[in-house]
Amino acid sequence: MSSLLNNPNLKKRKDPLDRGNDISPQKTFTLDDLKEINDKLPTNDNNGKRITFYSNVRINNHIKNKAEALSSIGLYKSQKEAIDEALDYLIDSLPSEDKRRLKFQIETLEERDVRMKGNKNA
């Protein structure tokens, strides 16, 4: 019992429950920062019938050069973003009947992706 009372670590501090300096994170973040990070992560949400993974499309050098030029002049951050925005622009300009058929096709392809890739990631 006397060894507990004569503990040299207790003599350094007056309060035996004192833990020293407060510890705080070097960098803090907000919920908006967390949402931004989550938006960049691939999704694997089988309940929402969507899964994101990388895929390749064969294109010729002329199409690649157009996408690269759009990003080089600063209109888009990347070739991927340039192509995505161009497709969105095209889809927005379609007649409503074509949009409806396209939406059905996209939903069918998304469901296939979930069936094919979703089970492997589960």
Side-chain angles (χ1 to χ4, degrees):
M1 180 75 129
S2 67
S3 63
L4 291 176
L5 295 175
N6 295 326
N7 186 338
N9 292 326
L10 290 179
K11 291 181 182 178
K12 292 179 185 176
R13 295 179 279 184
K14 292 181 181 178
D15 182 6
L17 295 178
D18 181 19
R19 301 289 183 224
N21 294 334
D22 288 338
I23 298 173
S24 61
Q26 291 178 350
K27 184 178 177 184
T28 60
F29 65 94
T30 65
L31 290 177
D32 291 333
D33 296 335
L34 186 60
K35 183 183 182 310
E36 184 178 312
I37 291 168
N38 283 337
D39 289 344
K40 293 178 183 177
L41 294 174
T43 59
N44 189 5
D45 181 11
N46 293 348
N47 294 333
K49 300 290 187 218
R50 289 192 63 145
I51 186 168
T52 302
F53 57 90
Y54 288 101
S55 178
N56 293 319
V57 175
R58 285 189 69 118
I59 58 172
N60 65 35
N61 63 307
H62 305 293
I63 297 169
K64 181 190 76 65
N65 290 341
K66 289 176 188 177
E68 188 171 351
L70 286 168
S71 65
S72 294
I73 63 173
L75 292 176
Y76 301 100
K77 293 179 183 176
S78 65
Q79 294 176 36
K80 181 180 90 165
E81 185 180 292
I83 293 169
D84 188 39
E85 292 286 327
L87 287 170
D88 286 344
Y89 182 78
L90 172 66
I91 290 168
D92 287 343
S93 69
L94 291 174
S96 60
E97 179 60 24
D98 288 340
K99 283 182 188 179
R100 186 191 62 75
R101 290 192 335 234
L102 180 68
K103 181 181 176 191
F104 177 76
Q105 288 294 322
I106 291 172
E107 287 172 356
T108 301
L109 294 169
E110 293 286 347
E111 288 173 8
R112 181 196 65 187
D113 290 344
V114 169
R115 280 194 315 274
M116 301 289 287
K117 296 283 187 171
N119 295 334
K120 293 178 184 177
N121 295 332

